[in-house]
Amino acid sequence: LKLIVGNEQYYEQYLFDQQFAHPGWSGIVSTIESQPESLLDVKKITLHDVIIFELLLEIDALDNQLNNQWTALSSSLETVPVALFKETNQTEYNEVIRLWQEIYEWNYYDEVLAGLRTKSKSSEKGTNKPKNPKSFQALLCIDDRETSLRDYLEQLDPDCETYATPGFFGVEFYFRPHNGKFNTKQCPNNVTPAYLIKEVNIKNKKGQRDAHFTKHSHGLIGGWLISQTLGFWSALKLFISIFHPSITPAASYSFNHMDKDSELTIENKHPQDKENGLQIGFTVDEMAQRVAAVLTSIGLVKDFAPIVYVIGHGSSSVNNPYYAAYDCGACSGRPGSVNARVFAFMANHPKVREELTHIGIIIPEETQFIGTLHDTCRDEIMYYDEQQLSLINQEVHEKNQKIFNTALAKNAKERSRRFDSINTKHSLKTIKEKIAKRSVSLFEPRPELNHATNALCIIGRRQLTQKLFLDRRAFMNSYDYNIDPDGKSLFNILKAAAPVCGGINLEYYFSRVDNLKLGAGTKLPHNVMGLLGVANGTDGDLRAGLPTQMIEIHDPIRLLIIVEHLPEVVLKTIQIAESTYEWFINEWAHLIVIHPETNEYYQFKNGRFIPYQTVRDQVQQIDYIEPILESTKENIPVYLLS
């Protein structure tokens, strides 16, 4: 720096300009430095070393071009550079843009809050209706793509009950698949697990294979022979796949993440046995703690149904460098199938249930948990360990499967209205088939729209939002303030919801506001760079945001988090951790509290809660949403479904 820049007071500006001259790389290096486990093959790398290396290259380049006849930059500066973080004066234009953004956001927020108020008044009329025993219960991820599936399950079976919780289901671990060389993280990215779960005893050990993807294709002679023989066959297969897409070994298929009939090393009876510092599986006490934490946080502590489905989610895709972004964010961008099976095993364990009785959670002996995976791209579902169901529950499960299949077909129909290649007025069967084909179409850059249009995160009881049509725009986390009067469980929910849901929202927000600089442009010319990121063709810059195919239907508004609790409890809760509080005090996300006793709204503003009155009195009530789904590709207003 002394050689290149000269004056020390300009070092900061120079390094800032240097690193921003090649977008993406400083960010990825910083991430690897702080989270080395994000690389499958761990390497020690620091941003400090990268900067020194780049400075040395610059000195060599200057020496080569100028024959050592050059001086430091500061010697020829005529004006002093402005400090990087100097306060800037707000102009009238800035203020107008800020006001416009606020109006744009609150116009939608107000509609949602009016809908919640309409729903509350509607619920009061039916409070005396007798409640039937629960036919089944389902635990899904808070993911915004799962809210519509919950709606259809409850529509088809009014006696079922659905809950939402982060899709790693409170069990943090590394997972090693059968014959896998690396451990993959199955929990939020900011969590460092101390546990390892391995996949063992697979019955179908061969699986699908493709001759193109063998080690022989990398050799000089073998590669030449394969290209001259199978190469021609692959060209024919490519042509056929355009008209008849199908699952191949090269496809990213969510159900392949874990073998359906494999065994998992979930229970640990010898804590001293470790592998690379990781404990294999969980002890009974550790399992009981995690099951209790999840059930308490969502309010499921009594009235258990005969079957409780624990539903993780994943996605399928072909030719998509953003594949990991479509899986479960709570599982570090991987399908939640392993987590669902692990949690179901824990909740079924007799000794775990015995431990739970000590804190008042009594799960009936006839209640059984089933791990499940929902493929959100294909709208298909897979059930694990069904053979463990009792004879009575097997009959119940067969009936429930029909409900799930119909709900998935209706969910596919709702999604199809955003796709130009599908007529939403077709039959459920036809739409379902076309949705499945899209997931494996080589020419399809939009197999699924992922979190596009996300705008809300609602933390509260299901009665707040049941039968309220929110157009797949809301993350939802089940929460009962009655079970958590002091906000301990709420703190854990917000600690995850703010950075995860808020982070997803801002990723879409910035990519939509300025897709050229903050997004990634079209993904059609993207090349994967060392499994780290993507670049446009041979361009060396890493694209840090999202491509147009993921954000073109997204409205750039910040996340509104709605919490059902007392305002004073929520205020104390968000102030516990600075990393959570900064989301709201800096207005990276908005926060509204619904007082559960008075149903009054309070908005968090400038460090305190102030009363908020909706501009609208209510939203429209309709009988069926299907005719509206068939009529438009645009965002649909909030409706109350009767």
Side-chain angles (χ1 to χ4, degrees), residues 51-121:
I51 291 173
I52 289 178
F53 179 61
E54 189 168 356
L55 289 169
L56 292 172
L57 291 177
E58 289 175 351
I59 292 172
D60 284 348
L62 288 167
D63 285 343
N64 184 54
Q65 291 293 318
L66 303 174
N67 297 319
N68 297 326
Q69 302 299 314
W70 55 275
T71 58
L73 289 171
S74 61
S75 63
S76 58
L77 277 180
E78 296 180 358
T79 57
V80 178
V82 178
L84 288 178
F85 303 107
K86 181 183 177 181
E87 289 289 333
T88 56
N89 296 323
Q90 291 296 313
T91 65
E92 184 180 21
Y93 175 78
N94 296 141
E95 182 63 12
V96 169
I97 292 297
R98 187 190 66 80
L99 286 171
W100 190 92
Q101 180 70 27
E102 292 267 345
I103 294 166
Y104 183 52
E105 293 174 336
W106 282 95
N107 183 58
Y108 174 68
Y109 300 158
D110 191 84
E111 180 183 298
V112 172
L113 295 171
L116 292 172
R117 179 151 286 163
T118 307
K119 172 65 179 68
S120 176
K121 291 177 181 177

Side-chain angles (χ1 to χ4, degrees), residues 119 126 129-138 149-163 303 305 399-400 403-404 406-407 410 462-463 466-467 641-642:
K119 172 65 179 68
K129 290 183 180 179
K131 293 183 179 181
N132 298 327
K134 300 303 175 188
S135 54
F136 69 85
Q137 288 159 331
L149 180 60
R150 294 178 68 188
D151 291 339
Y152 290 119
L153 287 172
E154 293 166 350
Q155 178 192 108
L156 293 165
D157 184 357
D159 292 329
C160 81
E161 193 171 43
T162 68
Y163 295 85
D303 300 329
K399 295 178 182 177
N400 294 342
I403 294 171
F404 272 101
T406 306
K410 285 179 171 286
R462 181 56 172 158
Q463 67 191 51
Q466 199 167 32
K467 295 187 178 180
L641 304 178
S642 58

